[in-house]
Amino acid sequence: MLTEPSGNSNVGAVLVVGAGIGGIQAALDLGDAGFKVYLLDKSPAIGGTMAQLDKTFPTNDCSMCILSPKLVECGRHLNVEVMTYAELESVEGKPGNFTARVRQKPRYVNVDECTGCGDCAAVCPIIRSDQFNADMSERRAAYKLYPQAIPNAYVIEKRGVAPCRDACPAGQRAQGYIALIRERRFADAYRTIKEDNPFPAVCGRVCNHVCETACSRGKVDEPVSIMRLKRFVADWAFEHPEEVAEAFRPKIEADNADADSDRLRSAASAESTGKKIAIVGSGPAGLTVAQDLRFKGHDVTVLEALPVAGGMMRVGIPEYRLPAEILQREIDEIINLGVELKLNTRVDDVVALKEEYDAVFVGIGAHDDVRPPVPGVELPQMLSANDFLREVNIGYYPDLMGKKVIVLGGGDVAMDAACTALRIGTMQADERGGEAPEVRVAYRRTDTEMPAQETEYRQAREDGVLFDWLVSPVEVEADEEGNVCGLTCCRMELGEPDPSGRRRPVPIEGSEFIMEADVVVSAIGARPNLACVPESVSRTPNGRQIAVDENTMMTSVEGIFAGGDTVTGMAFVVDAIGAGHKAARAIDAYVQGAPMPGPEPKLPVAELTEEDIAARREAGEIVEVTRACTLVEADVGERVHSLCEVSGAVSEEEAVAEAQRCLQCGICSECNQCVYACQKHCIDHNMREEIVELNVGAVLLVPGLETMPGDIRPELGYGRCANVVTSIEFERMLSASGPWGGVVQRPSDGKHPRKVAFIQCVGSRDITCNQGYCSSVCCMYATKEAIIAKEHDANIEPSIFYMDVRSFGKGFERYIDRAEQEQGVRYVRSMVSRVTEVPGTGNLRLQHATPDGNNVEEEFDLVVLSIGLRPSQDTRELAERLDVALNEYGFVKGADLRPAQVMRPDGSVADGIFVAGSFSEPKDIPETVIEASCAAARASALLSDARGSLAREQVWPEERDVSQEPPRVGVFVCHCGINIGSVVDVPEVIDFTADLPDVAYAEQNLYTCSQDTQEHIREVILEHDLNRVVVASCTPRTHEPLFQDTIRSAGLNPHLFQMANIREQDSWVHRQDPDVATGKAKELVTMAVAKARQLCPLAQGVSAVNHRALVIGGGLAGMTAALSIAEQGCDVTLVEREEKLGGNLRYIHTPLPGGGDPQELLQRRVEAVSVNPRITVLTGAEVVDMSGYVGQYRATIELADKQQEEIEHGVVVVATGAQEIQPEEYLYGEDERVITQRELEARIADGDLTKQPIKSVVMIQCVGSRDEEHPYCSRICCTEAIKNALAIKERNPNTDVFILYRDIRTFGFKERYYRQAREQGVVFLQWDKDEKPEVRSEDGQLRVDVVVQPEGEMFTLDADMVVLSAGIEANTDNEVVAQRLKVPLSEDSFFLEAHVKLRPLDFAADGVYLCGLAHSPRFLDETIAQAYGAAVHAVSLLTKDELDSTSIVATVDPLLCTACGLCVDACPYGARVLEPDAPCAEVIEVLCQGCGACIVACPNKASQQKGFGIGQVYQMIEAMSVAGS
Amino acid sequence: MNDFEPKIVAFLCNWCTYTGADLAGTSRIQYPPNARIVRLMCSGSVDPTYVLKPLLDGVDGVLIGGCHPGDCHYQSGNYKARRRVIALKEIIKNTGFDEDRVWLRWISASEGQRFAETVTEMTESLRKKGPSPMRRKWAV
């Protein structure tokens, strides 16, 4: 028999893009529903915009309070993998099985290891504006997005390697030490320099500073004087040895470190590896290798042929450029590390050294001069520059007094030789009373082609050196005695360019002439003397240098390495240092037997383009100083009389000012201070961007929106006037964790504002800036901000300037009413046309129109712009990459009446890709959360067969029974690096703790939370038979679960654990007083131990789950929820009390323009529900009784035939709908021409209107809404009226349609229809709630009188038909249903969800869900979204086999319980029950949330809360020490 | 009594005030070290004896911190705490004890500053009042 392939290739994983509240909700829903979730966000923490908000409307909940538990839940969820600082690149494959490519940006901080302590930020020298605080405060380049961020980890903002560092052969972190100089942290700057360069004082003087050539500042004016800044730091460091030692001192002393822990010394005492390395030559390359290898603990011997160390630095660079004493300081530092230096030790064969040493480094420099190929070079006064300079530097001066000296060449060595000769001869003349020498430089090209550095050439000219251009030596002339007496030269001319790009000098025939000369110094190049290097070591192709591997610097002979001039020919000190580092890395690997290093990966270079610079200039980030450090040089006339240093130092003030010129190209300067500060070694500046491929079944797009720029309407003054702020800025100003700690003050002067104006619709409902939609949330958030501002400062007088107040959501209308009536918020219906500053006051003058059409001005202290929302550019690009269609405003194009589904540009539906939240339309938090759940439901249905395939489940060892053991408490006290340890004396706490009763073990940890410590704790528990564990460290809110898992892994019940918070609540808040902090820590530990001794194992309650859902209500919501639950694989009973399914949907006929047909939708749903085998439909039936609790309900249903049936089910979905208000005014029911919108729709559908065209229709809004009886907005009526008006106009354009309204509430994209209606001639007339329109019938003619605002004029309209936009009210029997289900109702008798913002579809009691009109009035698509959302919550529960309850539930002692029932009243969850005649009350553990209310209510103390027992709390109180008691 | 350092026991709800106290720490806001925090799930689970026992033991003040009205994680626990504390203070007053040694404050998770200020104020206030009379009672 053939078996069919299962065809199941669906992947049980979902990618959620965007981790705002929508993404978080979707991730949690899907994780709970048994899918693996990747939660992606481009920012370094999850939380999105909601994290930035101060409060939320309409409850004024603290945004962070309600968000933070969700963040933590996401961070801990076994099935949710949070991927921050990452972006989605592409998605390929098919629905159910996609490959998503994710770009993981480098964070430079190991996110799993970081403890969020902030040590890195404390030392970071780079200041950035804090975007989280709307750029109103500053942060460092190392930062955490916000204090409660999840992951609780820092991130380093870096564009790449700064061009200066990239250019430097030694990789010197120039931007880093410059930033530290700017902060006047010179010792730190010195450490940063020393990180890459053992010779800062040298390189601060004699470098070719390619960094300055690469410096971006050169594009603005002149490069930063990087070399001179380095010299400043090096000189400063020499003057301040103590500060430098302090900067190098490790933050944590090693336990056995009794010696001075100065880095240099500690390296000296580093444990030896026993490997011996010989270094031939003590130049910069050799000494760099020596230093680096010494740090690695190798034994290093430096062999130097000369009597002095330093190589070319010592004998090639003249004293007046680099004083020997300064060089010697830096050499000594290296030697003092424990490097053996053997001077006067010439090596004959470097390869032979291998016998004695494990590796050999050859750094013998290039000391052999290239001699010009002319006759006479052997004459005694014919010198080579290197020999000449070496002799002088060692102290042997040839007699040059009064001599004529010719130096051949045009490089730096020629300049050095010439200036040295001039000085020596002059000094001899001064001493002996003779003539100064005449020194000339003869060069075969001109000064333009000369390779010498500009400064050196200039100084030589100033010193009096003469220059002859375009001359080349032909022969050195000698007199009879064989002494040099002249130089025959020929003239040259410049020909074609040679390979170096310079024009080639060509001799002019017959141009020979003789120059007088006593001494000739040849400085035309040098090469290494390879006499000591046997032929077995390969040479470079030209035979002059040693050939090496470019990655390892190893020669052709294994174990022999080479670097510096020996390999490159004459180069600069930094080149040799760079080579030295590279060789040292390889030698270390070689001697340790590790793999040899490969090519160093190229990190991206953060070059600044001209545009970048223009942008920074625009933002005022560029300090406009051309050059701060002035050039100081020894006096021109004086300096040739000695060898004193020519270049002068930079002053401290100049250095700091110069440092401010740095443009900080890389942002992070890689100064490494964070690396030194981080005691957990989490920082890695070499992290690189990675592409991660994820295999997922579905993709959810929940990227959220950004606020529009404040200057989207420039006339409103943002950017021009300091006291005009955006709403998001004001939100941060209000926040307790905002820039000013929640004090409302003006940005310009810090004054407390009194009159504050809010201007609405800035960038919303405004086609002039292509924002033709309503941003939906601004009216409400402005009101909230006004109320909160008044709460902060009662003197504030807020005014809100608006077009229409759009308070259309649940509870919104009351919020506005309260704001206006109780809080005194003034609402002004008028658009502000202009804001100008009142000179000298910072006050703002608003120009706006009054009702009578006059322009008036009013002065305010502060103006808040209620800016609209839009998708960010990134988001739009993402959508384009994913081939998802966008609408004209850049929002994703959703499918009509199919919420969460997305269209492709070709008009098809994008399967497997779903959208949620404001990316499809601006919306508030609850609607976002609902859509997120809806999208989760769709993904869950698509991947239903793969549910659970990738979900993780933790397996624990069997729990040890400790009930018979006496308590043995283990205490672990954390240093948290220096976060606790630098304030609290941890060893003292340990000593003290060890003596506490029942403490069997106590120890300290550097980081108790680190991975290895977890394993260690596990071992200690087993080794010492511990049965209670106390950790004294940070907050249990973030770390308790980690430690609980650890003790669980050692076989202990997780509740045998207690934490003492000695960081957030001790060391961090009492830093000034370490003694008191230590005392407090002891007491907190004592309290924790006291409680721990009383801890008992807590069992996790479980209860079985019936896998059937009961859906009450067969309207659109109920049918959709039932279908979604069935699609996701569970059985449903759908109960509808009417004979037919459909509910209110049966009366909706007119589609929105371009929208789906409601009746077709109805038909589709009814059909789908009827044929679905998982759905049992009971019509004409009613739930008459319900018992049980989550997972195990029993409902009694009265069927159509009055028979009763009982069904068992696990969850309930309430979708009982609502009803249209029956109007009792405007002649409704008295005159048949007065009808409701619903009746109008039926007539339009019947074609009535086209049969007998009517001349005039008057629609009246807010009938039964926003009045005393129904003090809420019915949300849909404005759009419904406009929809029907458009339908009438479509059928008969000549019909006059008047809409009499109070506020038009076409939020989101519905604003389009409002605009369309006005364009098609629908007349909108606004009335005030105190002057309602009147409908009268006069001589058979219907007339409507209306006082039209803002003018206040009375109009009378003749109407053939008056249509009343009747609102929606709750079903009259909601109360009965609510009692049956034990769920609450709102003031307006709609059902009341668990939390207005974040749990809109749940009830407080688990297992009961809510959707559709039963929740509140809403549109069809909103109803569908809710139904799906409720369904996924239901399915998450239904697909479980058993439910876990929280462990900290209430429990009852039946012996003490008197069955008084007070606990039952106290419980908000219905978890406390007292059955009639029962001897004692009970706890339904799955319902109990562990709040403890019933415990306090119990008069007999029969109720106790597990984990927070009264006895345990008493013990903690008693453990507190009370002085005097 | 210049060096008198009052001792405060603080019962903080897990969701708002305890988190606010943590935020004071993360923000490094410095405040006096006189309070000893006991974390409870809800201000509504503060048993009257949790207040009376420390007072009898000689503790100088008791602070109860909960979510702002309407913000309770458990819907209404803070209202229960409010009612209870009003009654409790009445009883304490009737026994001749200074009821102002018991403070109930609403401090949200984002009000680190407010938490620090509350502890500072309470410490100052108790410092002015001097040691709890119960201390003398027990000092034999």
Side-chain angles (χ1 to χ4, degrees), chain A residues 61 117 1035 1083 1404 1514 1518, chain B residues 7 22 28 49 53 71 75:
Chain A
D61 269 323
C117 71
T1035 172
E1083 223 173 303
Y1514 285 174
E1518 278 176 14
Chain B
K7 176 75 74 163
D22 278 347
R28 312 293 202 276
T49 59
K53 179 175 166 52
D71 283 8
Q75 300 180 38

Side-chain angles (χ1 to χ4, degrees), chain A residues 764-841:
Chain A
S764 293
R765 304 179 64 189
D766 188 349
I767 39 174
T768 59
C769 44
N770 188 32
Q771 310 294 348
Y773 56 91
C774 163
S775 292
S776 295
V777 292
C778 324
C779 288
M780 291 305 292
Y781 77 55
T783 300
K784 172 195 75 180
E785 289 181 352
I787 293 174
I788 303 296
K790 269 194 85 80
E791 275 180 14
H792 282 253
D793 180 350
N795 292 322
I796 289 177
E797 297 168 15
S799 304
I800 298 180
F801 292 85
Y802 72 100
M803 293 201 280
D804 296 284
V805 173
R806 294 195 161 167
S807 48
F808 50 83
K810 196 174 184 179
F812 291 5
E813 187 74 17
R814 276 196 172 84
Y815 192 69
I816 301 277
D817 286 347
R818 271 207 318 275
E820 191 168 13
Q821 285 150 25
E822 293 167 25
Q823 321 266 0
V825 177
R826 167 180 164 236
Y827 288 84
V828 187
R829 192 190 292 266
S830 169
M831 276 321 285
V832 176
S833 55
R834 186 161 203 83
V835 176
T836 47
E837 198 164 80
V838 182
T841 61

Side-chain angles (χ1 to χ4, degrees), chain A residues 810 1214 1216 1374 1377 1383-1385 1390-1393 1403 1410 1414-1415:
Chain A
K810 196 174 184 179
V1214 179
T1216 51
N1374 273 3
V1377 179
V1383 293
L1385 294 180
F1390 288 95
F1391 286 92
L1392 182 62
E1393 61 272 38
F1403 286 102
L1410 171 65
H1415 173 283

Side-chain angles (χ1 to χ4, degrees), chain A residues 313-323 389 393 416-417 420 643:
Chain A
M313 297 187 290
R314 178 68 176 79
V315 299
I317 300 169
E319 174 81 13
Y320 69 87
R321 286 184 59 213
L322 173 60
L389 290 171
N393 276 331
D416 288 350
T420 302
L643 290 175

Side-chain angles (χ1 to χ4, degrees), chain A residues 60-62 64-65 69 117-118 144 147-148 736-737 979 1035-1037 1040 1061 1064-1065 1068-1072 1076 1080 1083-1084 1087 1404 1448 1466 1468-1469 1489-1493 1495-1497 1501 1505 1508-1510 1513-1514 1516-1518 1520-1525, chain B residues 7-9 11-12 14-16 18-19 21-42 44-50 53-54 57-59 70-71 73-76 80 84 108-111 113 135 138-139:
Chain A
N60 289 356
D61 269 323
C62 162
M64 190 47 75
C65 290
C117 71
K144 191 160 85 170
Q148 302 86 345
S737 57
N979 282 286
T1035 172
R1037 288 177 41 258
E1040 193 173 56
N1061 185 342
E1064 277 85 345
Q1065 295 176 2
W1068 275 354
V1069 288
H1070 311 310
R1071 286 199 289 195
Q1072 280 89 353
V1076 176
K1080 180 169 171 182
E1083 223 173 303
L1084 292 174
M1087 290 165 73
I1448 51 163
Y1469 301 101
Q1489 306 293 310
C1491 69
I1495 279 85
V1496 193
K1501 300 281 170 273
Q1505 186 179 5
F1508 288 88
I1510 284 185
V1513 176
Y1514 285 174
M1516 291 181 84
I1517 297 170
E1518 278 176 14
M1520 288 175 51
S1521 72
V1522 180
S1525 69
Chain B
K7 176 75 74 163
I8 302 167
V9 57
F11 296 101
L12 307 185
N14 179 59
W15 305 96
C16 289
Y18 192 89
T19 313
D22 278 347
L23 179 61
T26 357
S27 319
R28 312 293 202 276
I29 302 167
Q30 305 295 303
Y31 59 86
N34 301 54
R36 300 289 172 267
I37 293 170
V38 177
R39 181 172 68 105
L40 295 174
M41 294 312 284
C42 180
S45 70
V46 175
D47 192 275
T49 59
Y50 291 178
K53 179 175 166 52
D57 287 352
V59 165
D71 283 8
H73 187 81
Y74 302 107
Q75 300 180 38
S76 56
K80 291 172 181 139
R84 205 166 282 140
S108 81
S110 60
E111 292 177 324
Q113 182 70 44
R135 291 202 189 193
W138 296 117

